[in-house]
Amino acid sequence: MTLITALLMIQADLAGELPAGIRLQRLLGTVRTLFGCGAVALLRLEGDTLRPIAIDGLARDTLGRRFAVKDHPRLAAILSQRGVTCFDHDSALPDPYDGLVLEHAGEPLPVHDCMGIALLRDGAAWGVLTLDALQIGTFDDDARAALEQLAPSIEAAVRLTQLENEVRVLRLAATNVRHDGGTVYEDSEIVGQSEAITRLLHELKVVADSDLPVLLLGETGVGKELFAHTLHRFSRRAAKPIIHVNCAALPESLAESELFGHVRGAFSGAMSDRPGRFEAAEGGTLFLDEVGELPLSIQAKLLRTLQNGEVQRLGADRPLRVDVRVIAATNRSLSTHVRDGLFRADLYHRLSVYPIPIPPLRERGNDVLLLAGRFIELNRARLGLRSLRLSPAAQAALLDYRWPGNVRELEHVISRAALKAVSRGAARSDIVTLEPELLDLDARSGLDSHAPIDAIAGAAEAPHVTTIAAGLSLREVVESSQREAIRVALLRHEDNWAGAARELGVDASNLHKLARRLGLKN
């Protein structure tokens, strides 16, 4: 392909009516073909981080990675200069894509040649385009000159894509939906491209400005808190605080004071007036996490606040008006709690005006690899590694696993695997590859409990068959069963010991003591 042909192809795509994603992917394909390189990536600058928005020739998990500019000297150098920046094969600076180029069927080979250019929009840095090759000498003087000539067309494609996104945002804003700019279905923290996550983000944007109470439903570890913060950020209340209350961690004796506040002398130890969480969230959002764990006595007062928009501090004579939007979350079946008399029916109906189910990780397809890429890059930086990657077999294992603990479990699996690799002798200057045995997913498959949310509340009573290894004493069998029961309860309750204790029917302090005796706590 010649430079003229490449320019004509890019111009034709700009003049056409291609969706933005397809246009950018075709752009990278054209660039890769023109330069005969192993990989091309388009990264957008977001604060101090570069986020890949389109790639060609790199491992899929690259899209989930976030490259802190300060941790990647090559990317920092490209951003800091105008024009093309090249790194020869003997450059001492580590390449962010070492081990990620697919040209050699996933082998962990280092990148040899690298070339990049900073992209501008309205005179300010927008991001970078990077080209990488495993063949020494790919980027000669002619290649550098060609990239200089291509840069205006690449920037035009970026501008067009951004303008289309902004028009889409304005159209949605015309229907009273507010956005914070940027690409409609992209978020700096929520990583994913699956249909399930795209629908969810759209639904959050639609309901954001309604001020209706929202009930987020989802299994342990799906990220309900993150989605609550996203909903707040999309709303008109975004400039005001969002206050997080973990209802499961509230002692019943202090719950009323914590939520609604108290006046001086309301109880022993109340030495001064103290506002509650509702007042702290004035004008903003109150996020009630694990709302199903609220004591019944507090549920009645919460209902009155939702109905009247008033709170009354403990010991006060008069109520106070509050302007607060409530988002609640639970991994329990509140309808089952209502049936069993553990949750007020009127409060349930008030909170669930707009229920939003959060999809489990196993229903998000290749999002698993994008999220894994995010966690891999975080661990690479944390451990000071040159490069950290997944082998093709490890990628397949991640896609096959059912993820009962969802995104939180994936984060822990990647972090543990990275630590194992280092502890087994991997040098920090190497390209470190995570294989399936480091992920240890087979050993975790026994915890694979992914019942739908309506069945979660009764999961503790479900029959459980345990395979007992031969040669164990009765005491060892009992302790093994206790460890397993505690682990599963903690997994369901997102490592909340109070919730796990309630499920297991024991006092929380006794559960802590038992866990220490069983070696589950220090």
Side-chain angles (χ1 to χ4, degrees), residues 195-236:
E195 183 179 350
I197 211 70
T198 298
R199 285 198 307 267
L200 173 59
L201 287 173
H202 176 70
E203 190 169 16
L204 290 177
K205 293 173 193 291
V206 169
V207 75
D209 267 10
S210 67
D211 267 352
L212 292 173
V214 172
L215 181 62
L216 301 177
L217 306 167
E219 299 173 8
T220 293
V222 295
K224 294 184 286 292
E225 181 180 354
L226 177 59
F227 286 104
H229 280 264
T230 300
L231 180 57
H232 172 74
R233 192 163 59 250
F234 289 158
S235 74
R236 288 171 295 186

mmCIF file of all heavy atoms in Angstrom, residues 195-236:
data_model
loop_
_atom_site.group_PDB
_atom_site.id
_atom_site.type_symbol
_atom_site.label_atom_id
_atom_site.label_comp_id
_atom_site.label_asym_id
_atom_site.label_seq_id
_atom_site.Cartn_x
_atom_site.Cartn_y
_atom_site.Cartn_z
ATOM 1 N N GLU A 195 -22.696 -6.150 25.300
ATOM 2 C CA GLU A 195 -24.051 -5.624 25.130
ATOM 3 C C GLU A 195 -24.715 -5.400 26.479
ATOM 4 O O GLU A 195 -25.439 -4.410 26.682
ATOM 5 C CB GLU A 195 -24.883 -6.600 24.290
ATOM 6 C CG GLU A 195 -26.290 -6.119 23.997
ATOM 7 C CD GLU A 195 -27.078 -7.094 23.155
ATOM 8 O OE1 GLU A 195 -26.478 -8.059 22.640
ATOM 9 O OE2 GLU A 195 -28.302 -6.901 23.012
ATOM 10 N N ALA A 196 -24.455 -6.305 27.440
ATOM 11 C CA ALA A 196 -25.072 -6.185 28.762
ATOM 12 C C ALA A 196 -24.647 -4.901 29.454
ATOM 13 O O ALA A 196 -25.470 -4.187 30.042
ATOM 14 C CB ALA A 196 -24.711 -7.401 29.618
ATOM 15 N N ILE A 197 -23.358 -4.564 29.395
ATOM 16 C CA ILE A 197 -22.869 -3.372 30.093
ATOM 17 C C ILE A 197 -23.270 -2.118 29.327
ATOM 18 O O ILE A 197 -23.545 -1.068 29.924
ATOM 19 C CB ILE A 197 -21.344 -3.453 30.303
ATOM 20 C CG1 ILE A 197 -20.952 -2.715 31.594
ATOM 21 C CG2 ILE A 197 -20.561 -2.875 29.155
ATOM 22 C CD1 ILE A 197 -21.386 -3.412 32.832
ATOM 23 N N THR A 198 -23.353 -2.200 28.007
ATOM 24 C CA THR A 198 -23.795 -1.051 27.211
ATOM 25 C C THR A 198 -25.237 -0.699 27.545
ATOM 26 O O THR A 198 -25.588 0.474 27.736
ATOM 27 C CB THR A 198 -23.662 -1.376 25.713
ATOM 28 O OG1 THR A 198 -22.291 -1.622 25.408
ATOM 29 C CG2 THR A 198 -24.171 -0.228 24.859
ATOM 30 N N ARG A 199 -26.110 -1.723 27.627
ATOM 31 C CA ARG A 199 -27.510 -1.479 27.996
ATOM 32 C C ARG A 199 -27.612 -0.873 29.388
ATOM 33 O O ARG A 199 -28.411 0.029 29.638
ATOM 34 C CB ARG A 199 -28.311 -2.783 27.935
ATOM 35 C CG ARG A 199 -28.641 -3.264 26.535
ATOM 36 C CD ARG A 199 -29.783 -4.279 26.579
ATOM 37 N NE ARG A 199 -29.488 -5.363 27.512
ATOM 38 C CZ ARG A 199 -28.913 -6.522 27.168
ATOM 39 N NH1 ARG A 199 -28.577 -6.732 25.907
ATOM 40 N NH2 ARG A 199 -28.691 -7.458 28.064
ATOM 41 N N LEU A 200 -26.809 -1.397 30.312
ATOM 42 C CA LEU A 200 -26.861 -0.919 31.688
ATOM 43 C C LEU A 200 -26.459 0.556 31.779
ATOM 44 O O LEU A 200 -27.131 1.355 32.443
ATOM 45 C CB LEU A 200 -25.941 -1.772 32.571
ATOM 46 C CG LEU A 200 -25.757 -1.294 34.009
ATOM 47 C CD1 LEU A 200 -27.094 -1.242 34.728
ATOM 48 C CD2 LEU A 200 -24.786 -2.207 34.755
ATOM 49 N N LEU A 201 -25.365 0.928 31.107
ATOM 50 C CA LEU A 201 -24.928 2.325 31.142
ATOM 51 C C LEU A 201 -25.978 3.243 30.530
ATOM 52 O O LEU A 201 -26.217 4.352 31.019
ATOM 53 C CB LEU A 201 -23.589 2.472 30.426
ATOM 54 C CG LEU A 201 -22.371 1.912 31.186
ATOM 55 C CD1 LEU A 201 -21.136 1.970 30.303
ATOM 56 C CD2 LEU A 201 -22.147 2.682 32.465
ATOM 57 N N HIS A 202 -26.600 2.788 29.456
ATOM 58 C CA HIS A 202 -27.670 3.594 28.848
ATOM 59 C C HIS A 202 -28.823 3.772 29.834
ATOM 60 O O HIS A 202 -29.363 4.889 29.984
ATOM 61 C CB HIS A 202 -28.164 2.930 27.570
ATOM 62 C CG HIS A 202 -29.320 3.650 26.933
ATOM 63 N ND1 HIS A 202 -29.186 4.881 26.329
ATOM 64 C CD2 HIS A 202 -30.637 3.321 26.838
ATOM 65 C CE1 HIS A 202 -30.366 5.289 25.876
ATOM 66 N NE2 HIS A 202 -31.252 4.353 26.179
ATOM 67 N N GLU A 203 -29.190 2.703 30.532
ATOM 68 C CA GLU A 203 -30.296 2.784 31.490
ATOM 69 C C GLU A 203 -29.950 3.731 32.632
ATOM 70 O O GLU A 203 -30.796 4.506 33.096
ATOM 71 C CB GLU A 203 -30.613 1.387 32.027
ATOM 72 C CG GLU A 203 -31.887 1.329 32.848
ATOM 73 C CD GLU A 203 -32.324 -0.087 33.156
ATOM 74 O OE1 GLU A 203 -31.497 -1.022 32.994
ATOM 75 O OE2 GLU A 203 -33.482 -0.273 33.574
ATOM 76 N N LEU A 204 -28.707 3.685 33.102
ATOM 77 C CA LEU A 204 -28.290 4.595 34.168
ATOM 78 C C LEU A 204 -28.397 6.047 33.728
ATOM 79 O O LEU A 204 -28.833 6.914 34.486
ATOM 80 C CB LEU A 204 -26.853 4.281 34.590
ATOM 81 C CG LEU A 204 -26.609 2.976 35.341
ATOM 82 C CD1 LEU A 204 -25.124 2.791 35.610
ATOM 83 C CD2 LEU A 204 -27.400 2.919 36.642
ATOM 84 N N LYS A 205 -28.003 6.331 32.479
ATOM 85 C CA LYS A 205 -28.072 7.693 31.965
ATOM 86 C C LYS A 205 -29.527 8.162 31.857
ATOM 87 O O LYS A 205 -29.840 9.319 32.134
ATOM 88 C CB LYS A 205 -27.367 7.770 30.609
ATOM 89 C CG LYS A 205 -25.848 7.559 30.679
ATOM 90 C CD LYS A 205 -25.249 7.479 29.286
ATOM 91 C CE LYS A 205 -23.823 6.953 29.313
ATOM 92 N NZ LYS A 205 -22.870 7.879 29.906
ATOM 93 N N VAL A 206 -30.409 7.258 31.461
ATOM 94 C CA VAL A 206 -31.815 7.627 31.285
ATOM 95 C C VAL A 206 -32.471 7.962 32.617
ATOM 96 O O VAL A 206 -33.225 8.930 32.729
ATOM 97 C CB VAL A 206 -32.575 6.489 30.578
ATOM 98 C CG1 VAL A 206 -34.068 6.729 30.627
ATOM 99 C CG2 VAL A 206 -32.110 6.361 29.129
ATOM 100 N N VAL A 207 -32.166 7.184 33.666
ATOM 101 C CA VAL A 207 -32.830 7.376 34.956
ATOM 102 C C VAL A 207 -32.119 8.411 35.823
ATOM 103 O O VAL A 207 -32.662 8.845 36.838
ATOM 104 C CB VAL A 207 -32.923 6.021 35.717
ATOM 105 C CG1 VAL A 207 -31.568 5.630 36.299
ATOM 106 C CG2 VAL A 207 -33.986 6.067 36.804
ATOM 107 N N ALA A 208 -30.936 8.858 35.409
ATOM 108 C CA ALA A 208 -30.092 9.688 36.276
ATOM 109 C C ALA A 208 -30.789 10.952 36.769
ATOM 110 O O ALA A 208 -30.681 11.318 37.938
ATOM 111 C CB ALA A 208 -28.799 10.058 35.541
ATOM 112 N N ASP A 209 -31.520 11.648 35.917
ATOM 113 C CA ASP A 209 -32.093 12.945 36.289
ATOM 114 C C ASP A 209 -33.511 12.858 36.847
ATOM 115 O O ASP A 209 -34.133 13.881 37.075
ATOM 116 C CB ASP A 209 -32.088 13.873 35.081
ATOM 117 C CG ASP A 209 -30.831 14.719 35.041
ATOM 118 O OD1 ASP A 209 -29.918 14.440 35.831
ATOM 119 O OD2 ASP A 209 -30.766 15.650 34.225
ATOM 120 N N SER A 210 -34.008 11.669 37.052
ATOM 121 C CA SER A 210 -35.405 11.549 37.458
ATOM 122 C C SER A 210 -35.625 11.821 38.935
ATOM 123 O O SER A 210 -36.733 12.132 39.352
ATOM 124 C CB SER A 210 -35.910 10.140 37.142
ATOM 125 O OG SER A 210 -35.242 9.183 37.964
ATOM 126 N N ASP A 211 -34.584 11.669 39.764
ATOM 127 C CA ASP A 211 -34.672 11.789 41.225
ATOM 128 C C ASP A 211 -35.495 10.674 41.867
ATOM 129 O O ASP A 211 -35.764 10.707 43.072
ATOM 130 C CB ASP A 211 -35.230 13.151 41.650
ATOM 131 C CG ASP A 211 -34.126 14.163 41.907
ATOM 132 O OD1 ASP A 211 -32.942 13.769 41.895
ATOM 133 O OD2 ASP A 211 -34.441 15.347 42.136
ATOM 134 N N LEU A 212 -35.898 9.692 41.077
ATOM 135 C CA LEU A 212 -36.576 8.534 41.656
ATOM 136 C C LEU A 212 -35.590 7.709 42.478
ATOM 137 O O LEU A 212 -34.404 7.627 42.143
ATOM 138 C CB LEU A 212 -37.141 7.636 40.543
ATOM 139 C CG LEU A 212 -38.283 8.168 39.693
ATOM 140 C CD1 LEU A 212 -38.573 7.192 38.556
ATOM 141 C CD2 LEU A 212 -39.522 8.384 40.541
ATOM 142 N N PRO A 213 -36.043 7.086 43.568
ATOM 143 C CA PRO A 213 -35.178 6.127 44.255
ATOM 144 C C PRO A 213 -34.842 4.975 43.313
ATOM 145 O O PRO A 213 -35.680 4.528 42.532
ATOM 146 C CB PRO A 213 -36.038 5.634 45.423
ATOM 147 C CG PRO A 213 -37.092 6.679 45.609
ATOM 148 C CD PRO A 213 -37.351 7.232 44.245
ATOM 149 N N VAL A 214 -33.599 4.533 43.347
ATOM 150 C CA VAL A 214 -33.132 3.446 42.489
ATOM 151 C C VAL A 214 -32.630 2.316 43.370
ATOM 152 O O VAL A 214 -31.917 2.553 44.353
ATOM 153 C CB VAL A 214 -32.014 3.921 41.538
ATOM 154 C CG1 VAL A 214 -31.401 2.753 40.779
ATOM 155 C CG2 VAL A 214 -32.558 4.957 40.555
ATOM 156 N N LEU A 215 -32.995 1.095 43.020
ATOM 157 C CA LEU A 215 -32.539 -0.088 43.748
ATOM 158 C C LEU A 215 -31.645 -0.903 42.827
ATOM 159 O O LEU A 215 -32.089 -1.422 41.807
ATOM 160 C CB LEU A 215 -33.727 -0.929 44.211
ATOM 161 C CG LEU A 215 -33.389 -2.199 45.005
ATOM 162 C CD1 LEU A 215 -32.662 -1.859 46.303
ATOM 163 C CD2 LEU A 215 -34.665 -2.994 45.299
ATOM 164 N N LEU A 216 -30.354 -0.978 43.163
ATOM 165 C CA LEU A 216 -29.399 -1.750 42.380
ATOM 166 C C LEU A 216 -29.369 -3.184 42.901
ATOM 167 O O LEU A 216 -29.121 -3.413 44.094
ATOM 168 C CB LEU A 216 -28.004 -1.127 42.482
ATOM 169 C CG LEU A 216 -27.879 0.320 42.011
ATOM 170 C CD1 LEU A 216 -26.454 0.827 42.233
ATOM 171 C CD2 LEU A 216 -28.254 0.441 40.538
ATOM 172 N N LEU A 217 -29.620 -4.124 42.007
ATOM 173 C CA LEU A 217 -29.681 -5.536 42.374
ATOM 174 C C LEU A 217 -28.526 -6.276 41.717
ATOM 175 O O LEU A 217 -28.259 -6.089 40.528
ATOM 176 C CB LEU A 217 -31.007 -6.148 41.909
ATOM 177 C CG LEU A 217 -32.287 -5.437 42.365
ATOM 178 C CD1 LEU A 217 -33.483 -5.952 41.586
ATOM 179 C CD2 LEU A 217 -32.493 -5.643 43.853
ATOM 180 N N GLY A 218 -27.859 -7.118 42.461
ATOM 181 C CA GLY A 218 -26.766 -7.857 41.852
ATOM 182 C C GLY A 218 -26.050 -8.742 42.842
ATOM 183 O O GLY A 218 -26.118 -8.540 44.058
ATOM 184 N N GLU A 219 -25.358 -9.729 42.297
ATOM 185 C CA GLU A 219 -24.624 -10.662 43.123
ATOM 186 C C GLU A 219 -23.433 -9.978 43.793
ATOM 187 O O GLU A 219 -23.055 -8.858 43.452
ATOM 188 C CB GLU A 219 -24.124 -11.835 42.269
ATOM 189 C CG GLU A 219 -25.225 -12.642 41.613
ATOM 190 C CD GLU A 219 -24.687 -13.686 40.655
ATOM 191 O OE1 GLU A 219 -23.449 -13.886 40.606
ATOM 192 O OE2 GLU A 219 -25.492 -14.299 39.937
ATOM 193 N N THR A 220 -22.832 -10.677 44.718
ATOM 194 C CA THR A 220 -21.632 -10.199 45.373
ATOM 195 C C THR A 220 -20.537 -9.917 44.345
ATOM 196 O O THR A 220 -20.288 -10.722 43.459
ATOM 197 C CB THR A 220 -21.117 -11.260 46.366
ATOM 198 O OG1 THR A 220 -22.056 -11.399 47.424
ATOM 199 C CG2 THR A 220 -19.762 -10.887 46.932
ATOM 200 N N GLY A 221 -19.901 -8.742 44.461
ATOM 201 C CA GLY A 221 -18.730 -8.443 43.653
ATOM 202 C C GLY A 221 -18.986 -7.907 42.269
ATOM 203 O O GLY A 221 -18.041 -7.746 41.483
ATOM 204 N N VAL A 222 -20.243 -7.576 41.903
ATOM 205 C CA VAL A 222 -20.510 -7.070 40.546
ATOM 206 C C VAL A 222 -20.180 -5.581 40.413
ATOM 207 O O VAL A 222 -20.140 -5.048 39.306
ATOM 208 C CB VAL A 222 -21.980 -7.306 40.122
ATOM 209 C CG1 VAL A 222 -22.278 -8.778 40.005
ATOM 210 C CG2 VAL A 222 -22.952 -6.617 41.071
ATOM 211 N N GLY A 223 -19.955 -4.905 41.545
ATOM 212 C CA GLY A 223 -19.597 -3.486 41.476
ATOM 213 C C GLY A 223 -20.759 -2.545 41.697
ATOM 214 O O GLY A 223 -20.826 -1.484 41.063
ATOM 215 N N LYS A 224 -21.659 -2.884 42.601
ATOM 216 C CA LYS A 224 -22.841 -2.044 42.812
ATOM 217 C C LYS A 224 -22.464 -0.634 43.282
ATOM 218 O O LYS A 224 -23.079 0.351 42.874
ATOM 219 C CB LYS A 224 -23.780 -2.730 43.816
ATOM 220 C CG LYS A 224 -24.395 -4.029 43.292
ATOM 221 C CD LYS A 224 -25.390 -4.636 44.255
ATOM 222 C CE LYS A 224 -24.730 -5.271 45.446
ATOM 223 N NZ LYS A 224 -23.944 -6.482 45.101
ATOM 224 N N GLU A 225 -21.436 -0.532 44.126
ATOM 225 C CA GLU A 225 -21.010 0.793 44.584
ATOM 226 C C GLU A 225 -20.492 1.636 43.419
ATOM 227 O O GLU A 225 -20.800 2.830 43.318
ATOM 228 C CB GLU A 225 -19.921 0.653 45.653
ATOM 229 C CG GLU A 225 -19.445 2.000 46.186
ATOM 230 C CD GLU A 225 -18.366 1.865 47.239
ATOM 231 O OE1 GLU A 225 -18.054 0.728 47.640
ATOM 232 O OE2 GLU A 225 -17.821 2.904 47.656
ATOM 233 N N LEU A 226 -19.731 1.034 42.536
ATOM 234 C CA LEU A 226 -19.211 1.760 41.378
ATOM 235 C C LEU A 226 -20.346 2.269 40.500
ATOM 236 O O LEU A 226 -20.327 3.422 40.039
ATOM 237 C CB LEU A 226 -18.297 0.837 40.570
ATOM 238 C CG LEU A 226 -17.719 1.410 39.273
ATOM 239 C CD1 LEU A 226 -16.897 2.661 39.548
ATOM 240 C CD2 LEU A 226 -16.865 0.360 38.569
ATOM 241 N N PHE A 227 -21.366 1.443 40.293
ATOM 242 C CA PHE A 227 -22.487 1.876 39.454
ATOM 243 C C PHE A 227 -23.334 2.940 40.164
ATOM 244 O O PHE A 227 -23.905 3.813 39.506
ATOM 245 C CB PHE A 227 -23.335 0.670 39.050
ATOM 246 C CG PHE A 227 -22.680 -0.189 38.013
ATOM 247 C CD1 PHE A 227 -22.098 -1.396 38.356
ATOM 248 C CD2 PHE A 227 -22.612 0.216 36.698
ATOM 249 C CE1 PHE A 227 -21.473 -2.188 37.411
ATOM 250 C CE2 PHE A 227 -21.984 -0.559 35.741
ATOM 251 C CZ PHE A 227 -21.411 -1.761 36.098
ATOM 252 N N ALA A 228 -23.401 2.883 41.484
ATOM 253 C CA ALA A 228 -24.105 3.935 42.226
ATOM 254 C C ALA A 228 -23.396 5.273 42.039
ATOM 255 O O ALA A 228 -24.033 6.313 41.818
ATOM 256 C CB ALA A 228 -24.181 3.571 43.704
ATOM 257 N N HIS A 229 -22.063 5.269 42.121
ATOM 258 C CA HIS A 229 -21.304 6.505 41.910
ATOM 259 C C HIS A 229 -21.455 6.994 40.470
ATOM 260 O O HIS A 229 -21.511 8.210 40.228
ATOM 261 C CB HIS A 229 -19.838 6.265 42.246
ATOM 262 C CG HIS A 229 -19.550 6.312 43.719
ATOM 263 N ND1 HIS A 229 -19.096 7.433 44.353
ATOM 264 C CD2 HIS A 229 -19.678 5.358 44.678
ATOM 265 C CE1 HIS A 229 -18.944 7.189 45.646
ATOM 266 N NE2 HIS A 229 -19.285 5.927 45.874
ATOM 267 N N THR A 230 -21.531 6.056 39.523
ATOM 268 C CA THR A 230 -21.724 6.447 38.127
ATOM 269 C C THR A 230 -23.086 7.104 37.926
ATOM 270 O O THR A 230 -23.207 8.129 37.242
ATOM 271 C CB THR A 230 -21.600 5.211 37.222
ATOM 272 O OG1 THR A 230 -20.300 4.636 37.387
ATOM 273 C CG2 THR A 230 -21.801 5.569 35.760
ATOM 274 N N LEU A 231 -24.121 6.542 38.538
ATOM 275 C CA LEU A 231 -25.461 7.117 38.449
ATOM 276 C C LEU A 231 -25.472 8.531 39.033
ATOM 277 O O LEU A 231 -26.059 9.452 38.452
ATOM 278 C CB LEU A 231 -26.445 6.213 39.195
ATOM 279 C CG LEU A 231 -27.913 6.634 39.218
ATOM 280 C CD1 LEU A 231 -28.459 6.785 37.806
ATOM 281 C CD2 LEU A 231 -28.739 5.620 40.002
ATOM 282 N N HIS A 232 -24.815 8.709 40.158
ATOM 283 C CA HIS A 232 -24.729 10.049 40.764
ATOM 284 C C HIS A 232 -23.995 11.017 39.835
ATOM 285 O O HIS A 232 -24.417 12.168 39.668
ATOM 286 C CB HIS A 232 -24.006 9.946 42.108
ATOM 287 C CG HIS A 232 -23.685 11.277 42.725
ATOM 288 N ND1 HIS A 232 -24.639 12.089 43.307
ATOM 289 C CD2 HIS A 232 -22.506 11.951 42.829
ATOM 290 C CE1 HIS A 232 -24.063 13.193 43.750
ATOM 291 N NE2 HIS A 232 -22.771 13.134 43.473
ATOM 292 N N ARG A 233 -22.922 10.555 39.218
ATOM 293 C CA ARG A 233 -22.124 11.417 38.344
ATOM 294 C C ARG A 233 -22.906 11.841 37.098
ATOM 295 O O ARG A 233 -22.685 12.923 36.552
ATOM 296 C CB ARG A 233 -20.837 10.700 37.957
ATOM 297 C CG ARG A 233 -19.815 11.580 37.292
ATOM 298 C CD ARG A 233 -18.427 10.963 37.301
ATOM 299 N NE ARG A 233 -18.370 9.675 36.630
ATOM 300 C CZ ARG A 233 -18.188 8.521 37.260
ATOM 301 N NH1 ARG A 233 -18.075 8.474 38.568
ATOM 302 N NH2 ARG A 233 -18.127 7.386 36.581
ATOM 303 N N PHE A 234 -23.819 11.009 36.631
ATOM 304 C CA PHE A 234 -24.637 11.344 35.469
ATOM 305 C C PHE A 234 -25.771 12.320 35.815
ATOM 306 O O PHE A 234 -26.383 12.897 34.922
ATOM 307 C CB PHE A 234 -25.274 10.081 34.882
ATOM 308 C CG PHE A 234 -24.305 9.161 34.180
ATOM 309 C CD1 PHE A 234 -24.617 7.820 34.004
ATOM 310 C CD2 PHE A 234 -23.098 9.629 33.692
ATOM 311 C CE1 PHE A 234 -23.741 6.972 33.364
ATOM 312 C CE2 PHE A 234 -22.220 8.784 33.050
ATOM 313 C CZ PHE A 234 -22.542 7.454 32.878
ATOM 314 N N SER A 235 -26.068 12.484 37.086
ATOM 315 C CA SER A 235 -27.258 13.229 37.495
ATOM 316 C C SER A 235 -26.977 14.722 37.652
ATOM 317 O O SER A 235 -25.827 15.170 37.636
ATOM 318 C CB SER A 235 -27.792 12.677 38.820
ATOM 319 O OG SER A 235 -26.955 13.086 39.900
ATOM 320 N N ARG A 236 -28.036 15.496 37.861
ATOM 321 C CA ARG A 236 -27.895 16.928 38.109
ATOM 322 C C ARG A 236 -27.273 17.204 39.468
ATOM 323 O O ARG A 236 -26.882 18.331 39.760
ATOM 324 C CB ARG A 236 -29.270 17.604 38.044
ATOM 325 C CG ARG A 236 -29.835 17.713 36.641
ATOM 326 C CD ARG A 236 -31.272 18.174 36.646
ATOM 327 N NE ARG A 236 -32.152 17.196 37.283
ATOM 328 C CZ ARG A 236 -33.465 17.294 37.324
ATOM 329 N NH1 ARG A 236 -34.061 18.328 36.769
ATOM 330 N NH2 ARG A 236 -34.196 16.370 37.908
#
